[in-house]
Amino acid sequence: MSISGHQRHHAENAGVDVAEYWERRYQERDRVWSGRANPVLVDVVEPLPAGTALDLGCGEGADAVWLARHGWRVTAADVSATALERASGHAAGAGVADRIDFQRHDLARTLPDGSFDLVSAQFFQSNVELPRERILRAVAEKVAPGGLLLVVTHATVPPWSWHPHEDAVPTPQEELAALGLALDDWHTERLDAPARRVTGPEGQQATVTDNVIALRRRVR
């Protein structure tokens, strides 16, 4: 019986410390990500009034800076000190450092304090074993009444991606069910898998899909 690409990567990285893994990955290159905000975040959040936001796994800070530029006060969390240092520099260069609180967390162990009008988990996936659903359930509790939980994951990835290529990909509905949320407390605003074109490091083109879950906490 074969195992999926995702399981294979986890098997290969069994016992690897999460912080060490991501530190090594960030230190291998001067920049890992594009520096542009994730497109689903922009599409979903741009029409919303600004408030407080939690950016989960903020990486080099592109989403946090975009949110701050649009008036949000952001708490941005990541396990990598190198990523957070770069993100802080990015925020300072954009003139929004005073609107972002960068915090280092191994999110399987600790989470930022407070409640938020937006909790954003953009591609919160890892090649190292991660209790992803447990973390997402915990951060969902930090969404304020009337606030939005936005979870976006890779449903498919381009051929050049470092992410594991899954043999079986869950649907957005299956991903939502796996979170185990009390859905009576939420209004589903989006639950779909839109396609988008992406460009690779050498100009390659591909079409990928993202699973999108956007839930609004009901005001009781």
Side-chain angles (χ1 to χ4, degrees):
M1 180 177 178
S2 65
I3 58 177
S4 73
H6 190 60
Q7 291 170 317
R8 191 176 303 113
H9 272 260
H10 279 176
E12 291 170 355
N13 289 307
V16 175
D17 180 78
V18 171
E20 290 180 4
Y21 174 86
W22 284 105
E23 273 299 291
R24 183 170 66 248
R25 176 154 179 79
Y26 280 107
Q27 290 176 5
E28 286 172 350
R29 298 171 61 184
D30 292 337
R31 189 177 75 178
V32 173
W33 311 115
S34 70
R36 298 185 297 273
N38 284 299
V40 173
L41 174 80
V42 173
D43 181 52
V44 171
V45 176
E46 196 163 30
L48 303 180
T52 56
L54 171 60
D55 182 10
L56 201 67
C58 67
E60 291 162 325
D63 285 354
V65 168
W66 183 89
L67 287 164
R69 280 175 164 165
H70 286 75
W72 292 78
R73 291 202 169 274
V74 186
T75 299
D78 203 279
V79 72
S80 167
T82 297
L84 290 169
E85 182 179 358
R86 292 179 189 171
S88 180
H90 185 190
V96 293
D98 62 331
R99 302 190 67 84
I100 307 174
D101 178 14
F102 291 105
Q103 298 183 13
R104 188 179 182 191
H105 289 271
D106 177 345
L107 296 165
R109 294 181 171 89
T110 63
L111 295 171
D113 293 330
S115 63
F116 303 89
D117 301 308
L118 169 69
V119 171
S120 173
Q122 301 289 309
F123 306 112
F124 185 61
Q125 297 160 275
S126 176
N127 289 342
V128 181
E129 191 65 42
L130 183 75
R132 180 175 177 273
E133 285 78 16
R134 175 170 66 79
I135 294 169
L136 291 175
R137 279 193 294 273
V139 296
E141 294 300 313
K142 293 185 170 293
V143 178
L148 188 73
L149 173 66
L150 177 61
V151 179
V152 182
T153 59
H154 294 291
T156 62
V157 296
W160 60 82
S161 175
W162 64 276
H163 282 282
H165 292 63
E166 299 286 1
D167 297 331
V169 177
T171 65
Q173 292 78 10
E174 289 168 337
E175 281 207 50
L176 176 57
L179 295 183
L181 301 179
L183 294 182
D184 287 348
D185 294 336
W186 302 87
H187 169 70
T188 302
E189 296 202 344
R190 277 189 68 173
L191 189 62
D192 58 3
R196 58 186 171 92
R197 293 290 289 174
V198 293
T199 302
E202 298 178 4
Q204 318 97 303
Q205 295 285 313
T207 298
V208 299
T209 55
D210 303 322
N211 284 350
V212 178
I213 300 170
L215 305 176
R216 177 81 57 188
R217 184 181 288 281
R218 298 185 188 277
V219 179
R220 298 297 187 181

